[in-house]
Amino acid sequence: MKISMINYKLLLALLFILASWITFTVFWNSTKLWSALNLAISIHYWNNSTNSLFPKTPPIPLKSLTETELRIKEIMEKLDQQIPPRPFDHVNTTTSAAHSTATILNPRDTYCRGDQLDILLEMRDHLGHRKQYGGDFLRARMSSPALMAGASGKVTDFNNGTYLISFTLFWEGQVFLSLLLIHPSEGVSALWRARNQGYDKIIFKGKFVNGTSHVFSECGLTLNSSAELCEYLDNRDQEAFYCVKPQHMPCEALTHMTTQNRKVSYLTERENGLFHRSKVGVEIMKDGKHIDVAKCNKSEKIEEKCQVGMKPPVPGGYTLQGRWITTFCNQIQFDTIKMNDCLKGKLIYLLGDSTLRQWIYHLPKVVKTLQFFDLHETGIFKKHLLLDAERHTLIQWKKHSLPFLTFQLYSLIDHNYIPREIDLLSGDKNTAIVITFGQHFRPFPIDIFIRRAIGVRKAIERLFLRSPTTKVIIKTENIREMHIETERFGDFHGYIQYLIMKDIFKDLNMGIIDAWDMTIAYGTNNIHPPDHVIGNQINMFLNYIC
């Protein structure tokens, strides 16, 4: 009996220990579970509150970066290193054209045609102190107005306040030299920061049509709106555009778009002062510096014929008597008869902005057999089609897709991103494509432009796989007016895009029309250059395809 009682007590003790262990285990696991649940609820609440506070675009699920995103990140990091922050306390510490000095190295009384002339540029601030860093936005040009001659110069930045300006003396006669300080490095830094700070410098308004009724709604590359959004997504190329969904209208009812500038600036008042009209494009060589160039009986090297795959140097040519003369290939001058022969049987697709639309307006003035075909569309941004039925020639211009900026209402019907347009073409040896974009991208963060350029490159690669004989030509941006909307549309933004284009397309078998170099040489300073400049761009194009 006594032994049984002892065993009974031991059994109770063991049961108590077991019960305690089970209770402790359950409590510990439930604590961890509750913590995990609390964490999940916190994350869910943060996501929901973030979406309500900052509902720019639908959240992107966490995933590894795509090849395109990695390339964008790489280019962005490189640009950020090249354009570091340059804050300043007073305008006196910024670069001054008046106090900077330009010295011709190894000067001579007379130079020979073909010689290189080098200038050492030393930048100083408004107090006369030497600048210790580079980054100034400069433009070098030489010209002979009497000869209607001009060429750009090459600028090398040593990143210590000094620059080497190199001119190749392409023609003989009296040559005038010009060095413009477009923006000081402090202004460049401010423009770069302001550009990448916001998408809202432009207002997009989309027109939604349902039968006889229509309504306009806010649209954009991103939207700060808690309203229901229409999403227009290209998942393959990771392109996106959004509109606030109108009541009683489907998203598919979007038919037209218009834009206007929004009164917003990401520059401080001090920074804005650097872009006053009197401070943009200031001449450093103010004494009308000129040199004399003689022929010197130097022999000229005969280059091979211009063809796709060649990469123009800087400068890639010069103007003389108003004509563009290439320096890296043997260029043919096309008269009307040669143009007719060249265009016979050709299918030519011009994809881009109004600087390329100028081509399709210019061509019928020279080739009279080309006639516009009425596609029953309206507005200057409609699709344009030129036909010569007898010679089986077709030339078409289409605007590039969003972002496309104009206060005029334009149609979104039959409207594709350039990569999608390229994908629709089968291509062959008689097909040529000319692409230009950039001017309409200047007011937006640079990643939008880089993404589009990468998408275009991939589309060209796909085209070359199915049709390696198709001719593809990139026309770079023109320079434009110096004193108009610098923060939104200034040439600094265009120059960065010009460098990006050259980098992204550098190893493709395609032709380059360096309109940036050409329009500096011509000294146009106009987003839409005059007819003789357009004619020379087209002549360069014909050299690539015939």
Side-chain angles (χ1 to χ4, degrees):
M1 184 72 179
K2 188 174 182 181
I3 294 172
S4 297
M5 184 62 67
I6 292 170
N7 288 339
Y8 178 75
K9 288 181 179 179
L10 286 172
L11 181 62
L12 285 177
L14 287 171
L15 287 172
F16 177 78
I17 293 169
L18 180 62
S20 299
W21 180 80
I22 291 171
T23 303
F24 176 79
T25 303
V26 170
F27 174 79
W28 175 250
N29 286 336
S30 65
T31 303
K32 288 199 293 184
L33 178 64
W34 179 247
S35 298
L37 186 60
N38 271 339
L39 179 61
I41 291 172
S42 299
I43 292 172
H44 178 71
Y45 173 78
W46 169 246
N47 284 338
N48 284 344
S49 63
T50 301
N51 287 339
S52 62
L53 290 173
F54 308 104
K56 283 188 176 181
T57 56
I60 299 172
L62 290 174
K63 58 180 181 180
S64 59
L65 293 178
T66 65
E67 178 189 351
T68 296
E69 288 164 342
L70 287 170
R71 182 75 170 116
I72 293 171
K73 185 172 181 286
E74 175 195 343
I75 294 173
M76 288 286 294
E77 288 174 352
K78 189 188 299 183
L79 289 170
D80 284 335
Q81 289 174 359
Q82 292 175 352
I83 316 168
R86 300 291 186 197
F88 64 99
D89 297 322
H90 195 278
V91 68
N92 284 343
T93 63
T94 66
T95 311
S96 164
H99 291 81
S100 299
T101 58
T103 306
I104 295 178
L105 302 178
N106 303 313
R108 286 182 272 168
D109 292 335
T110 303
Y111 294 83
C112 291
R113 181 181 174 185
D115 286 350
Q116 180 170 302
L117 182 143
D118 291 324
I119 297 175
L120 182 65
L121 187 58
E122 296 181 315
M123 308 305 281
R124 298 178 181 273
D125 64 20
H126 290 264
L127 300 174
H129 301 141
R130 274 281 306 274
K131 296 296 293 287
Q132 301 301 313
Y133 49 83
D136 299 295
F137 185 36
L138 305 168
R139 182 170 297 164
R141 180 175 182 258
M142 65 180 195
S143 63
S144 296
L147 299 173
M148 291 187 292
S152 67
K154 183 178 180 180
V155 178
T156 302
D157 186 351
F158 294 120
N159 296 309
N160 62 2
T162 63
Y163 301 79
L164 182 67
I165 315 297
S166 301
F167 291 104
T168 302
L169 306 176
F170 294 116
W171 64 87
E172 54 195 277
Q174 193 176 65
V175 176
F176 292 87
L177 306 176
S178 170
L179 296 179
L180 297 182
L181 174 62
I182 308 293
H183 304 306
S185 51
E186 295 79 11
V188 164
S189 175
L191 286 175
W192 181 242
R193 189 202 72 248
R195 172 171 187 168
N196 293 303
Q197 202 161 328
Y199 292 81
D200 56 350
K201 302 182 189 77
I202 302 294
I203 300 170
F204 289 87
K205 289 291 182 182
K207 181 181 180 182
F208 288 76
V209 177
N210 190 353
T212 57
S213 63
H214 72 268
V215 64
F216 283 89
S217 183
E218 182 184 1
C219 302
L221 296 161
T222 64
L223 283 179
N224 282 315
S225 174
S226 58
E228 183 181 358
L229 299 181
C230 290
E231 303 170 1
Y232 304 98
L233 307 176
D234 185 325
N235 289 320
R236 186 195 67 187
D237 294 325
Q238 302 162 43
E239 298 272 14
F241 196 79
Y242 304 89
C243 290
V244 173
K245 187 180 183 301
Q247 288 186 347
H248 315 302
M249 289 269 193
C251 293
E252 293 77 13
L254 177 64
T255 62
H256 291 77
M257 191 69 66
T258 182
T259 67
Q260 65 186 78
N261 295 343
R262 179 181 269 119
K263 290 183 178 178
V264 62
S265 174
Y266 291 98
L267 299 172
T268 66
E269 185 177 350
R270 182 182 293 124
E271 289 169 342
N272 259 311
L274 297 177
F275 307 109
H276 185 273
R277 188 181 186 91
S278 63
K279 296 178 180 177
V280 176
V282 182
E283 181 62 65
I284 296 173
M285 304 182 76
K286 292 169 288 295
D287 57 353
K289 191 72 176 177
H290 72 271
I291 59 168
D292 294 310
V293 181
K295 188 175 182 180
C296 300
N297 294 320
K298 281 196 172 184
S299 60
E300 294 185 17
K301 184 180 178 182
I302 299 175
E303 305 284 351
E304 62 178 312
K305 180 190 175 301
C306 301
Q307 53 191 309
V308 294
M310 293 181 167
K311 304 306 173 192
V314 177
Y318 60 98
T319 71
L320 186 62
Q321 300 300 336
R323 204 182 85 192
W324 178 253
I325 301 170
T326 54
T327 61
F328 62 96
C329 60
N330 187 10
Q331 185 184 24
I332 300 168
Q333 291 299 317
F334 281 82
D335 56 22
T336 300
I337 295 173
K338 287 180 180 177
M339 287 180 74
N340 270 321
D341 291 341
C342 175
L343 294 173
K344 186 176 180 179
K346 295 290 193 298
L347 304 178
I348 298 170
Y349 299 91
L350 310 176
L351 306 173
D353 56 33
S354 58
T355 67
L356 200 51
R357 189 190 63 212
Q358 286 184 275
W359 286 28
I360 210 161
Y361 287 161
H362 181 85
L363 280 163
K365 298 176 185 177
V366 184
V367 183
K368 304 297 184 182
T369 56
L370 287 170
Q371 301 292 321
F372 281 106
F373 186 83
D374 186 3
L375 295 168
H376 295 229
E377 297 182 16
T378 58
I380 63 173
F381 297 111
K382 64 185 179 182
K383 181 165 64 178
H384 290 64
L385 187 64
L386 283 174
L387 293 175
D388 182 342
E390 185 178 337
R391 290 183 174 82
H392 302 284
T393 301
L394 178 149
I395 305 174
Q396 175 185 284
W397 175 83
K398 284 187 77 171
K399 64 184 177 297
H400 68 67
S401 190
L402 300 162
F404 196 87
L405 314 181
T406 174
F407 66 90
Q408 299 188 48
L409 201 65
Y410 60 88
S411 173
L412 295 178
I413 307 302
D414 187 24
H415 186 79
N416 279 321
Y417 292 114
I418 289 178
R420 295 290 181 178
E421 291 288 347
I422 296 172
D423 287 341
L424 293 173
L425 302 175
S426 57
D428 60 26
K429 65 179 181 179
N430 288 315
T431 299
I433 305 170
V434 187
I435 301 163
T436 193
F437 58 97
Q439 296 282 353
H440 294 254
F441 288 75
R442 293 186 182 191
F444 303 105
I446 196 68
D447 65 295
I448 298 294
F449 178 81
I450 300 171
R451 186 179 303 277
R452 185 67 51 83
I454 292 171
V456 170
R457 181 198 163 95
K458 289 182 176 180
I460 294 170
E461 290 174 337
R462 291 191 293 270
L463 172 64
F464 284 161
L465 283 175
R466 64 182 179 269
S467 176
T469 58
T470 302
K471 302 291 195 304
V472 180
I473 290 89
I474 291 282
K475 184 188 84 67
T476 66
E477 291 178 56
N478 305 330
I479 62 169
R480 63 180 299 168
E481 301 80 0
M482 285 190 201
H483 309 101
I484 297 177
E485 292 277 5
T486 303
E487 182 179 355
R488 257 183 274 264
F489 297 110
D491 271 345
F492 166 70
H493 300 313
Y495 180 64
I496 295 300
Q497 292 174 175
Y498 168 72
L499 296 179
I500 291 169
M501 289 282 277
K502 292 178 77 171
D503 182 47
I504 287 177
F505 294 102
K506 63 186 175 186
D507 57 347
L508 288 180
N509 186 36
M510 55 195 298
I512 304 291
I513 296 175
D514 195 336
W516 189 271
D517 187 27
M518 290 178 73
T519 48
I520 289 177
Y522 279 106
T524 55
N525 295 318
N526 190 321
I527 188 173
H528 295 120
D531 263 7
H532 68 278
V533 178
I534 300 303
N536 278 279
Q537 290 179 357
I538 292 172
N539 191 81
M540 191 71 217
F541 162 67
L542 296 175
N543 270 267
Y544 282 134
I545 70 169
C546 294

